[in-house]
Amino acid sequence: MTAPAWAAITVDGTLDASYGAALAVQTVTTGFGDTTSTTNGGELDAGYAKVWNDRLYVLITGNVEGNFNKIHLFIDSKAGGENVLSSTPNYDGGRSQNFGGLTFDTGFEADYHVFGRWNGGAFEVDIVDRDGGTCVTCGGNFGAATVGSGNIQSGTVFASGNGTTPYLSTPAEFGFNNTNLLGVVGGDPSVAADMTAAAAVTTGFEFSVALADIGSPAIGSVINIHAAYGNGDNNYHSNQILGGLPVQGNLGGDGAGGFTGTLSGINFNNFAGSQFFRVPVTGEVIPEPSSVVLSALACLGGLGLARRKR
């Protein structure tokens, strides 16, 4: 017998073969510093995602610096949402309001916001339902890693977040593996990234959430994901976006590297290409390991019976 071509995805921050090919690969060198140790520098090398067993799995390879800089996933998974982010939602200690005015590519309307950060201790993750930008105290959940420490950690998201009220029906899962020392480099922002090196990175930030908790997108539809990397106050963005930007430096708050106190000056329509990637929603189901074993035994038993009948 041969092993099945798929296997369950383990949410541990490490790329599983079942993800398949990357859906986005970094195009620019990082303006937030090359990762030369496992606590400095920040980069988003590639984006992977898969829908299985009624859950969305996402892996962003690269590194998150241990200084409370943040990795962000904005998820567009249902009708409505925000093409231009509102400053009304007040979570993350009010820092969410600094996103007000940021404009995504035409066709991208954010519904949910996932963000992670750390300072060398437990890695922390929040998910927030932005409710079309109308909520003040939004539905949201928080989790700090409970397994591992340092550069390899994992945990679940199910507690109340800062400025939010719990809304998840089942825990979300996350994994963080910050051991990458390869991928894109820092330096001259006028130089394109080595996309082959970026695609070779296999560790980073991984997240999984039930489809029922992101609007229950229908089979055959598409989930859009915008990944970004910025500072802890949500008022200065790097150039590490997936899908990738044209060759340029950090976005800052005005889209050209300037600090303005908010991200209101960033408009992704001003940059060529799509600064998000698309994830098909399928009805694929991975059997539990015990079911796979039972099926294999049944096949072996059938082969044995066939031989005896000869």
Side-chain angles (χ1 to χ4, degrees):
M1 294 182 64
T2 58
W6 37 254
I9 293 174
T10 302
V11 182
D12 57 2
T14 302
L15 179 63
D16 291 290
S18 295
Y19 272 112
L23 300 179
V25 178
Q26 188 56 254
T27 55
V28 295
T29 58
T30 177
F32 265 36
D34 186 26
T35 303
T36 56
S37 76
T38 51
T39 57
N40 76 330
E43 61 192 65
L44 306 185
D45 288 294
Y48 299 82
K50 189 82 173 180
V51 171
W52 255 335
N53 288 14
D54 295 321
R55 293 185 69 87
L56 169 67
Y57 294 85
V58 183
L59 171 67
I60 306 297
T61 59
N63 298 86
V64 177
E65 189 168 0
N67 62 352
F68 288 126
N69 281 349
K70 290 174 183 163
I71 182 171
H72 301 276
L73 304 178
F74 284 95
I75 300 173
D76 175 2
S77 53
K78 62 183 181 182
E82 301 167 88
N83 179 250
V84 179
L85 291 179
S86 164
S87 61
T88 299
N90 188 345
Y91 55 90
D92 191 21
R95 299 176 187 89
S96 59
Q97 295 179 311
N98 291 334
F99 278 102
L102 181 147
T103 303
F104 295 108
D105 287 300
T106 299
F108 186 96
E109 297 180 334
D111 301 304
Y112 301 90
H113 181 196
V114 177
F115 54 100
R117 72 284 194 192
W118 72 310
N119 192 30
F123 194 82
E124 300 174 340
V125 177
D126 288 74
I127 180 171
V128 178
D129 179 356
R130 289 182 56 91
D131 194 26
T134 63
C135 58
V136 177
T137 301
C138 303
N141 290 80
F142 163 85
T146 55
V147 177
S149 62
N151 297 305
I152 302 178
Q153 306 183 39
S154 59
T156 58
V157 179
F158 211 50
S160 178
N162 186 343
T164 60
T165 58
Y167 91 97
L168 289 177
S169 62
T170 58
E173 303 173 331
F174 67 89
F176 176 61
N177 186 324
N178 210 50
T179 58
N180 169 58
L181 294 177
L182 302 174
V184 302
V185 299
D188 186 349
S190 66
V191 177
D194 181 341
M195 295 179 67
T196 300
V201 179
T202 59
T203 56
F205 169 63
E206 191 170 17
F207 185 80
S208 172
V209 64
L211 294 184
D213 289 326
I214 54 171
S216 298
I219 294 173
S221 65
V222 174
I223 296 171
N224 297 322
I225 297 176
H226 167 97
Y229 185 71
N231 70 345
D233 288 331
N234 303 335
N235 58 16
Y236 196 92
H237 258 10
S238 77
N239 61 354
Q240 296 295 281
I241 308 293
L242 292 172
L245 292 164
V247 174
Q248 71 156 60
N250 292 325
L251 297 178
D254 62 358
F259 179 81
T260 63
T262 73
L263 299 178
S264 60
I266 296 176
N267 183 341
F268 286 103
N269 291 294
N270 294 334
F271 306 103
S274 296
Q275 278 74 59
F276 63 91
F277 55 93
R278 300 165 177 85
V279 189
V281 178
T282 69
E284 292 181 77
V285 176
I286 305 174
E288 294 296 325
S290 58
S291 300
V292 175
V293 171
L294 290 173
S295 297
L297 290 174
C299 290
L300 289 171
L303 289 172
L305 181 59
R307 289 192 182 99
R308 286 194 294 272
K309 285 183 177 180
R310 290 174 187 171

